[in-house]
Amino acid sequence: MKRLALAVLGAISLSACAQAPGGNTDPVPSATTATTAKPAAAPKPAAGTPEARAIEAVRALNPQVEVERVAPAAMPGFREAIVAGQVVYVSDDGRYLFLPGSGGALFDVAAKKNLSEDAMAGLRKQLIATIPASERIVFSPAKPKYTVTVFTDVECGYCRKLHSQIAEYNREGIAIEYLAFPRMGLGSDDYRKMVAVWCAPDRRKALTAAKSDHGPTKADCKTSVNQQYDVGQRVGLTGTPMIVTAEGVQVGGYVPPAALRETLDKLAAEHARTASTAPAKPGT
C-alpha cells in the first residue's frame, strides 16, 4: 500500500504513552524555551552529487525539514544526513532512505512508500487475527464504515483521551475493537486491573470505569490478556494507544476522530487505486 511518509524525520510526534515499565511514561507536553539556537546553514552540494540527491530525497518525503549536514556514510553506497536531530541514511542514487532507531523504517523515495510498514502490515493482520472476536472489547456504530484495532491501557493518558471520544469515533463510522496492552508489564498493578476488566461480566462498562479509576482492580479468571500483550509486542507496539487498520496498517497513537476518518478514507482510496492498476492474475 502506498503511504506518504508524513511522520518521517520528527515532523509529527506520535501521541502515545511509551512502553517503559518502571518509569514515568505519562505524556509530557512540549515547551518552547525563551532562547532557541540559531540553525546551522543548510549544506549546498553541487547538483547531481550523492550529497545533493540525499537532500532531494529527504525533501521529497518531507519538504518542511532542513538537512543540517550530509556526508559519506560508513556503509558503502549511502550518504549520512543529519535531519532534525536524527541520523538518516540515503542511497547514493537517492532512491532509498533508511530511518534507524526504534521502529526504524526503509522508504522508497520515488514511490513515497514505507517498505518496512508494508512488510509489517501483513504480519500485524495475521497476528491480530489470532485473538478471538469474543476476547475483544468492541464499541461500534450500527453499520461501521471502518473497523480498527486499538491496543489500549487503562492508565495511559492518551488511551483515556481516545476512549472519552468513543461516541465521536462511532459517529464517524468507525468501530473500535480494543485489545489489552498493560504497558507496565505482566504482573504489574496495571496488568491486574486489565485482567479484572476482561474478567468483568460487562467488559465495556468495566473498561470505561477503569479508565476513570473506578473500575475493578482484582479478579481471578482465565483471560487472553497475556496473549494480547504478546501480540502487541510482536506487531511492533512502542506505546499505547496503537491504532491498526483492518489491513494491518498502523495509523498512529492517539488520532482525533475526524482525523482518523480522514486517514482511513485516504488509505481506502489508495488501496482502491492500487487494486485497479494491479496486473490481472492469469485465468481472470
Side-chain angles (χ1 to χ4, degrees), residues 108-175:
D108 182 327
V109 176
K112 291 185 171 62
K113 190 173 184 179
N114 185 335
L115 302 178
S116 301
E117 174 60 29
D118 282 1
M120 280 299 299
L123 177 62
R124 290 193 195 103
K125 183 177 179 179
Q126 179 182 355
L127 289 172
I128 290 172
T130 65
I131 307 296
S134 61
E135 288 298 308
R136 308 174 190 206
I137 300 180
V138 182
F139 291 80
S140 176
K143 296 181 179 180
K145 173 70 173 179
Y146 302 107
T147 298
V148 297
T149 298
V150 178
F151 286 88
T152 194
D153 175 270
V154 295
E155 295 186 345
C156 162
Y158 282 119
C159 296
R160 292 184 174 194
K161 183 174 183 178
L162 187 154
H163 192 67
S164 72
Q165 298 173 297
I166 200 71
E168 295 178 47
Y169 288 102
N170 288 172
R171 282 194 289 271
E172 291 287 349
I174 303 169

Side-chain angles (χ1 to χ4, degrees), residues 177-189:
E177 294 191 349
Y178 280 123
L179 294 181
F181 193 89
R183 63 195 173 101
M184 300 308 290
L186 301 181
S188 63
D189 287 341

